[in-house]
Amino acid sequence: MIRCNDVYKSFSGKTVLSGIGFDIGDGEIFGLLGPSGAGKTTLIKILTGQLEFDSGEVSVFDKDVSALSGEDRKNIGIMMDQFGVYERLSCIDNLKIFADIYGVSHDRIKSTLEQVGLKEAGNKPASTLSKGMRARLCLARVFMHAPKLIFLDEPTSGLDPQTMRQIHKIILEKKKEGCTIFLTTHNMEEAHKLCDRVALLNEGVIVENEAPDKICRKYNHQKTIKLHLSSGEDLIIPHESKSAEWIGRLLAAGSIETIHSSEPTLETVFLELTGRKLEEDEACITF
Ligand SMILES: Nc1ncnc2c1ncn2[C@@H]1O[C@H](COP(=O)(O)OP(=O)(O)OP(=O)(O)O)[C@@H](O)[C@H]1O
Ligand SMILES: [Mg+2]
């Protein structure tokens, strides 16, 4: 669906993206993760043909991004920020404008509002919407023309956990419908939950590009098992065969309340890859 090869971009001599390369398959949710200023929005602008780049290759729908036709563009939906809403117009009238721009029937408005959970708010002026409702109206705008490829630049930024979960559900429904989704976020937990694959972007360089679970397993240096016993005691033991008998005995005796392996979170991996110190290793019981 998207192929990006050795892309460089600089602004006034300052390199912002450096040798970016990845492929995104049909129906995948691909997450681009990185701190503020890493180059996420710049990359979305390049992939959607809004910004020229210095060198490299970008193809979308198997075509050079500069050669996309009007029809191809109708298959792309972009949510870059939560602006561009007509404040005085109702949700329905906002969507009518976008339907007309994309040559889509107004009949789609009702089902699109329903899809983002704004069915009851159709006649509300945009200016009266809460932050979460506004975010969902922006998503509705992206979905109006039923694009196959969707770019979402920090769609849940600044939203409360409940609205965030609603938006995650909407994104996952779009994946079920067969859409390919390119998502940027600062939120590693969100990325882990939603994305088939994530690329970690740091200062314009992709430092890892894999399935979230695979990344966490790859950077599991500690290889320990954490036990919380019913006595209230916490134990950390090596993740190796000689621990098995001991864990077995504790399990048989009903002494274990919880048991976890020690893979790091994406957040911890990111800290490691971007050169910041890992948290101090926890004390580990050895046999
Ligand atoms: N039009 C521009 N002119 C000059 N510099 C720019 C321009 N657009 C972006 N930059 C610079 O490129 C770098 C990357 O910016 P970008 O907006 O892509 O980061 P980001 O990862 O999206 O950050 P955030 O998470 O804050 O949205 C920043 O240093 C920014 O100042
Ligand atoms: Mg950005």
Side-chain angles (χ1 to χ4, degrees):
M1 191 57 87
I2 299 179
R3 177 157 287 178
C4 191
N5 181 31
D6 208 21
V7 167
Y8 281 79
K9 172 69 188 171
S10 53
F11 290 111
S12 326
K14 182 181 167 251
T15 303
V16 170
L17 294 175
S18 194
I20 300 293
F22 52 80
D23 288 341
I24 303 178
D26 208 354
E28 210 178 354
I29 301 187
F30 182 89
L32 182 66
L33 297 165
S36 186
K40 302 181 297 295
T41 301
T42 303
L43 187 53
I44 286 198
K45 286 184 181 164
I46 288 174
L47 298 177
T48 51
Q50 300 176 68
L51 188 67
E52 294 203 342
F53 46 102
D54 306 338
S55 63
E57 293 148 356
V58 175
S59 62
V60 177
F61 304 135
D62 279 332
K63 283 182 189 170
D64 191 285
V65 70
S66 61
L68 289 179
S69 66
E71 273 312 299
D72 293 326
R73 291 190 178 282
K74 280 190 184 168
N75 271 319
I76 299 177
I78 310 170
M79 175 176 160
M80 297 289 285
D81 48 43
Q82 289 165 24
F83 301 108
V85 165
Y86 297 98
E87 297 295 334
R88 282 199 233 162
L89 297 186
S90 68
C91 294
I92 290 176
D93 288 342
N94 261 284
L95 293 186
K96 275 183 186 163
I97 292 179
F98 283 91
D100 292 344
I101 291 172
Y102 283 99
V104 173
S105 160
H106 288 187
D107 295 348
R108 275 189 56 82
I109 293 175
K110 195 170 158 234
S111 61
T112 308
L113 281 173
E114 235 176 89
Q115 197 166 39
V116 299
L118 284 182
K119 193 174 129 198
E120 314 299 333
N123 291 314
K124 272 191 155 202
S127 59
T128 66
L129 298 178
S130 69
K131 215 163 154 188
M133 290 164 99
R134 176 178 293 262
R136 284 181 279 146
L137 176 60
C138 291
L139 279 178
R141 212 170 58 180
V142 175
F143 300 157
M144 266 308 288
H145 60 294
K148 288 194 169 62
L149 173 59
I150 298 171
F151 290 88
L152 303 174
D153 194 3
E154 298 185 35
T156 58
S157 171
L159 299 179
D160 64 277
Q162 195 195 346
T163 312
M164 221 183 236
R165 273 196 298 277
Q166 286 169 345
I167 289 185
H168 291 167
K169 202 166 151 231
I170 295 167
I171 293 173
L172 289 170
E173 267 162 24
K174 280 287 150 189
K175 177 187 159 77
K176 257 195 215 152
E177 285 174 22
C179 297
T180 305
I181 296 158
F182 185 104
L183 174 89
T184 74
T185 178
H186 293 153
N187 184 328
M188 308 277 171
E189 244 179 87
E190 166 170 282
H192 202 142
K193 177 175 161 195
L194 295 180
C195 300
D196 299 299
R197 212 143 46 83
V198 297
L200 307 183
L201 184 68
N202 185 42
E203 294 175 2
V205 178
I206 289 185
V207 290
E208 193 51 86
N209 173 7
E210 258 307 346
D213 280 339
K214 222 168 168 180
I215 293 181
C216 294
R217 283 199 298 273
K218 182 171 164 189
Y219 291 88
N220 183 11
H221 308 305
Q222 293 186 15
K223 298 263 181 343
T224 56
I225 297 171
K226 296 182 184 184
L227 305 177
H228 181 77
L229 304 184
S230 17
S231 62
E233 198 181 351
D234 286 312
L235 292 180
I236 298 172
I237 60 174
H239 189 150
E240 52 192 40
S241 53
K242 58 186 177 184
S243 303
E245 198 190 324
W246 199 56
I247 294 175
R249 274 206 307 273
L250 286 169
L251 268 177
S255 312
I256 297 179
E257 211 157 89
T258 62
I259 179 164
H260 295 285
S261 53
S262 61
E263 298 92 78
T265 61
L266 270 184
E267 179 107 48
T268 312
V269 172
F270 194 83
L271 287 177
E272 177 181 347
L273 289 174
T274 55
R276 277 175 273 176
K277 197 174 178 296
L278 267 175
E279 283 161 3
E280 290 295 322
D281 285 351
E282 289 165 272
C284 179
I285 297 174
T286 46
F287 293 96

